[in-house]
Amino acid sequence: MKMVFLGPPGAGKGTIAALAKDYYGIPHISTGDLFRSNIKNETALGLQVKSILASGGLVPDSVTIEMVRNRIAEPDCEKGFILDGFPRTIPQADALAEMTGLDAVVDFQISTEAVVARLSGRRMCPSTGRIYHILFNPPKVEGKDDETGEDLIQRDDDKEEAIKHRLEVYTAQTEPLIKYYTDKGLIKGVDASVAPDKVFENLKKALA
Ligand code: AP5
């Protein structure tokens, strides 16, 4: 199964991908996670993209496309993958179409008010990437990762100004992909406004 998770920032793509990767037995490839890992390890790519991610803007298409091309060429992607956060522009979608076919593009449907509430309360474990929410999915011990006990962090781009910019960028550059993939007959709409286990049920039904 080769699928793309499409939806606004904070729609829950990463949360549901963590469940879907085990259920479908395919890797979860998040371009945001790949960039954040490069930033953490202070690679040349990480230094190049650090300020772009903090502001909520998009990394140039050429850089992102090459990173995904290399990742999906790895052996674990032979049976399929979940692409989370890619493509985000029409040129990225055109480039992906040249690399591989797709079975489905899942559109996570949710209101702007709900995503702002989700993003502003999100916390994550810096080493494992595990995602929490201070109200909707709190850790067992406040501020600590459930398994490693590490201090949780707030992403730089989950601050108010960056959230606003990310939503504007989504509307201008990424939302047009819904029509792009609808025209190709690939879109599967999923109600993402409900609790994670319900969203996951909605996803399985949409893909059945
Ligand atoms: P990326 O990491 O992809 O960010 P995003 O698309 O903005 O998505 P998020 O990770 O913010 O949200 P999500 O939908 O995964 O929600 P989550 O599950 O965490 O990209 C970051 C940056 O990298 C971009 O801004 C850009 O700079 C760069 N980048 C990445 N890809 C790029 C590309 N293709 N081209 C160019 N640049 C690129 O959930 C959010 C919160 O809600 C959590 O706290 C969670 O616990 C909670 N939650 C989740 N589901 C539910 C639920 N059902 N009910 C209640 N709470 C929930």
Side-chain angles (χ1 to χ4, degrees), residues 182-199:
T182 300
D183 290 348
K184 294 184 187 302
L186 286 170
I187 281 280
K188 308 277 181 197
V190 163
D191 176 6
S193 67
V194 289
D197 56 335
K198 298 273 183 332
V199 179

Side-chain angles (χ1 to χ4, degrees), residues 121-136:
R122 174 166 56 189
R123 298 293 182 271
M124 67 179 283
C125 174
S127 61
T128 65
R130 221 180 331 271
I131 304 166
Y132 299 87
H133 190 281
I134 52 173
L135 299 177
F136 308 140

Side-chain angles (χ1 to χ4, degrees), residues 8-15 30-33 35-36 52-53 56-59 64 84-88 92 118-119 121-123 131-133 136-137 155 157 166 192 194-196 199:
K13 305 180 295 293
T15 299
S30 156
T31 41
D33 285 349
F35 287 132
R36 281 185 289 277
I52 301 176
L53 264 82
L58 289 187
V59 174
T64 311
D84 163 11
F86 182 93
R88 256 177 157 96
Q92 290 181 13
R118 287 185 185 182
L119 291 173
R122 174 166 56 189
R123 298 293 182 271
I131 304 166
Y132 299 87
H133 190 281
F136 308 140
N137 179 26
R155 277 171 42 177
D157 59 350
R166 286 161 69 199
V194 289
V199 179

